[in-house]
Amino acid sequence: MKVLSGQAVARLTALLPGRLDLAEMRRDPRRDLLAGLTVAIVALPLALGFGVSSGLGAEAGLATAVVAGALAAVFGGSNLQVSGPTGAMTVVLVPIVAEHGPSGVLTVGLVAGVMLVALALLRAGKYMQYVPAPVVEGFTLGIACVIGLQQIPNALGVPKPEGDRVLVVTWRALAEFAKNPNWTAVALALAVAAVMLIGARRRPAIPFSILAVIVATVVAQMAGLDAAKPIGDLPSGLPAPSLAFLDPGALGSLLAPAVAVAALAALESLLSASVADGMTVGQQHDPDRELFGQGLANIAAPLFGGVPATGAIARTAVNVRTGAGSRLAALVHAAILAAIVFAAAPLVSRIPLAALAGVLLATAIRMVEVGSLRAMARATRSDALILVLTAVATLALDLVYAVIIGLVVAGALALRTVAKQARLDQVPLDRGDHSAEEHALLAEHIVAYRVDGPLFFAAAHRFLLELAEVADVRVVILRMSRVTTIDATGALVLKDAVEKLNRRGIVVMTSGIRSGQRQVLDSLGALELLRVEGREYATTPEAIQGARTHLECVGVIPLLPAQESRPVGVETEETVG
């Protein structure tokens, strides 16, 4: 017990911030301060927009950006990661809000945070690298579509219709707009989106999102555009931390959504951290520390009324491009947003919802990298299929099902590809030191097969069918030296094939079985059939010599002149049945 507790303490200590983190923050604070200010300007409209889209309000998005952003910056595993509310998480939260209400979302965030901490302690971060690229690309494309569709009601200036399916809600919003058009809201949303998209292409260093929102707000106020509905009153500060939302009786029904939120937070955060590493030289995130930091962030955010958070790819990219070198930049970003919450809440409350919808529409469009999608679709048919299925499932179902479907399909296609690598090829007998006459006589009664590749469940039954077609021979030699792996199914199929051939009077001998594969074969009784009769050999020449001895003993061929030395393991008359 003491050893286990010591290991647990050591593992937890490894996840906590160290002196190196502090040293890096002191290296170039001026550059980090500037990067943090820039990120905060970009993050403000996104935090407000995603808070509104989630259903908990703009104040929830701000609380998440401040609390989760600060904690993830301190305890996370990346020096450059910026965390907060994201579009992908919003997509998951909308149906939870519809079914369980705001308190359900806060509970889900808390439970998901605990799960993320547990994953970090279990060192599960490294397994996220096994998610295939087509799944990630399809996932991102689907999320972009969902985020864009979620903004339709606010962009059209109509009340959000009932429903938790984005396609249904969008259709109802369009029907409502057809009855009572609100062209003012449409103009504001399109203008903000256009400014962001055009401005980012021409002057990417300028934060056009906040500039467009400010201009839209000033125009709406000065022109008295009543049709441009504002965010509404915001609290001038963060609420006191509270667990009043927690209902222990509802935990059972919220467990599945919490798993979905935790999985998404882990996937998106580690993906964002990897993107940040790729944009720099010398930076390398710690996946387990990142999960730990995101877990603490998601435990704390609900206490202040915030929605679940993840690492934000767009904000992280801005952080890197503006020269951030340490986690101080992300901390500054959270501090500036906190100052805005306390000092400028009345001004922020006047921002039109249509303007925020325009920000998120532009964000959704910029998430879609056409070149990357085109390259992925052209790579292989399998990659294209996985990408499309994941994107469609994200749009039609939900993100968790989409990832599961993408992983299952990717796994099935990968297994099919690997299974095709397993081959059973007939090969000529090695001549050895036999004369031409001896070799021709042996080849008449002995056939050799070389097994290449993995002998596992996806390919084993095809192997059995091919081997069962062997006829008109007395001995089959299986050359196993090129078998890369054997699972339980492969071992059982091999055993079944040997038994069937033996019942037909065909003796099976093997050569070159590796030590690691021997254990699998032995545990399932496949080697027993060979070992009892002395039909397992280390090399193919020894197996051929054993086959020759067997044929001599049963009288199939005349006794040939003995070799100068008989290899070890060759059958004697006493061992022949």
Side-chain angles (χ1 to χ4, degrees):
M1 291 295 292
K2 290 183 178 179
V3 175
L4 290 176
S5 61
Q7 291 177 346
V9 171
R11 187 171 298 181
L12 179 60
T13 303
L15 297 174
L16 297 175
R19 293 181 179 179
L20 181 60
D21 299 318
L22 185 60
E24 289 175 342
M25 292 171 65
R26 292 174 174 174
R27 187 171 300 165
D28 195 348
R30 180 179 300 178
R31 187 175 63 177
D32 287 332
L33 289 172
L34 179 60
L37 174 62
T38 305
V39 175
I41 293 173
V42 173
L44 176 60
L46 293 175
L48 294 171
F50 289 135
V52 172
S53 295
S54 70
L56 270 69
E59 61 273 19
L62 284 173
T64 301
V66 173
V67 177
L71 284 174
V74 173
F75 293 97
S78 171
N79 288 329
L80 307 175
Q81 179 92 286
V82 178
S83 300
T86 63
M89 188 61 73
T90 300
V91 174
V92 174
L93 298 180
V94 170
I96 299 176
V97 173
E99 185 173 353
H100 302 283
S103 62
V105 171
L106 300 180
T107 303
V108 162
L110 181 66
V111 176
V114 174
M115 291 179 179
L116 289 170
V117 170
L119 287 175
L121 294 174
L122 293 173
R123 298 180 179 176
K126 58 186 177 183
Y127 296 109
M128 292 298 170
Q129 64 183 325
Y130 297 116
V131 178
V135 174
V136 175
E137 291 291 342
F139 178 74
T140 305
L141 175 59
I143 288 173
C145 293
V146 173
I147 293 173
L149 292 175
Q150 283 180 341
Q151 309 318 309
I152 296 301
N154 285 336
L156 298 179
V158 300
K160 184 178 178 181
E162 294 292 329
D164 57 354
R165 294 294 180 188
V166 66
L167 293 175
V168 175
V169 172
T170 301
W171 178 256
R172 291 174 179 172
L174 291 171
E176 182 65 26
F177 178 80
K179 296 177 183 177
N180 300 295
N182 184 347
W183 295 109
T184 300
V186 173
L188 281 178
L190 292 179
V192 170
V195 169
M196 285 184 60
L197 293 173
I198 297 173
R201 179 171 295 182
R202 296 185 177 181
R203 298 290 181 88
I206 299 176
F208 282 99
S209 59
I210 192 69
L211 295 178
V213 168
I214 291 174
V215 171
T217 304
V218 170
V219 170
Q221 292 294 313
M222 293 184 63
L225 302 178
D226 296 333
K229 183 180 177 182
I231 292 175
D233 294 336
L234 290 175
S236 57
L238 295 175
S242 172
L243 279 172
F245 61 85
L246 187 61
D247 179 9
L251 289 177
S253 61
L254 293 173
L255 186 59
V259 171
V261 168
L264 177 59
L267 177 64
E268 189 172 11
S269 298
L270 294 179
L271 176 63
S272 177
S274 298
V275 170
D277 291 344
M279 295 176 65
T280 59
V281 177
Q283 292 286 350
Q284 185 67 39
H285 76 282
D286 183 330
D288 295 319
R289 273 193 67 184
E290 185 60 32
L291 291 180
F292 184 72
Q294 294 297 332
L296 294 183
N298 279 286
I299 290 173
L303 304 181
F304 296 88
V307 297
T310 74
I313 296 177
R315 276 156 275 179
T316 299
V318 171
N319 195 37
V320 175
R321 291 194 188 104
T322 49
S326 75
R327 56 192 71 224
L328 177 61
L331 269 174
V332 170
H333 136 270
I336 292 174
L337 290 178
I340 293 173
V341 170
F342 283 98
L347 297 176
V348 173
S349 66
R350 299 178 183 179
I351 296 175
L353 290 174
L356 291 182
V359 171
L360 299 187
L361 283 171
T363 301
I365 293 172
R366 292 171 64 180
M367 285 177 66
V368 180
E369 297 183 9
V370 178
S372 178
L373 291 175
R374 186 182 293 115
M376 193 71 63
R378 289 176 177 176
T380 65
R381 291 183 180 179
S382 296
D383 290 333
L385 176 62
I386 295 167
L387 189 153
V388 172
L389 279 178
T390 306
V392 171
T394 302
L395 186 59
L397 301 174
D398 63 45
L399 301 188
V400 177
Y401 283 126
V403 172
I404 292 174
I405 290 172
L407 290 176
V408 169
V409 173
L413 293 174
L415 282 177
R416 187 186 70 170
T417 302
V418 173
K420 288 181 177 180
Q421 298 174 1
R423 298 187 308 174
L424 182 69
D425 297 325
Q426 183 176 348
V427 293
L429 289 181
D430 293 335
R431 178 73 177 264
D433 54 2
H434 297 107
S435 66
E437 180 183 356
E438 291 175 347
H439 183 266
L441 190 58
L442 292 175
E444 183 179 348
H445 299 285
I446 303 172
V447 64
Y449 286 95
R450 183 175 60 222
V451 186
D452 280 338
L455 187 58
F456 71 134
F457 69 93
H461 294 289
R462 178 166 55 85
F463 165 85
L464 174 61
L465 292 174
E466 292 181 17
L467 195 57
E469 295 176 356
V470 175
D472 301 328
V473 294
R474 291 302 185 99
V475 179
V476 170
I477 297 176
L478 295 178
R479 300 171 59 172
M480 307 281 287
S481 61
R482 295 191 182 183
V483 175
T484 56
T485 185
I486 297 178
D487 68 354
T489 304
L492 289 174
V493 166
L494 179 61
K495 177 183 177 182
D496 192 20
V498 172
E499 289 176 340
K500 288 184 176 181
L501 291 174
N502 286 345
R503 285 196 293 269
R504 292 168 49 195
I506 300 175
V507 172
V508 179
M509 299 181 178
T510 61
S511 68
I513 297 177
R514 300 179 184 179
S515 57
Q517 299 164 4
R518 185 185 304 277
Q519 182 178 357
V520 178
L521 293 168
D522 199 22
S523 63
L524 293 168
L527 281 184
E528 193 65 27
L529 295 172
L530 304 170
R531 188 176 293 125
V532 170
E533 300 293 340
R535 294 167 181 169
E536 181 200 351
Y537 298 92
T539 65
T540 300
E542 291 179 1
I544 295 173
Q545 186 62 43
R548 170 194 171 185
T549 302
H550 169 75
L551 294 177
E552 292 173 351
C553 293
V554 296
V556 174
I557 62 174
L559 187 62
L560 299 172
Q563 304 300 313
E564 293 182 4
S565 61
R566 186 178 294 274
V568 177
V570 175
E571 297 174 339
T572 63
E573 291 188 20
E574 289 78 17
T575 62
V576 176

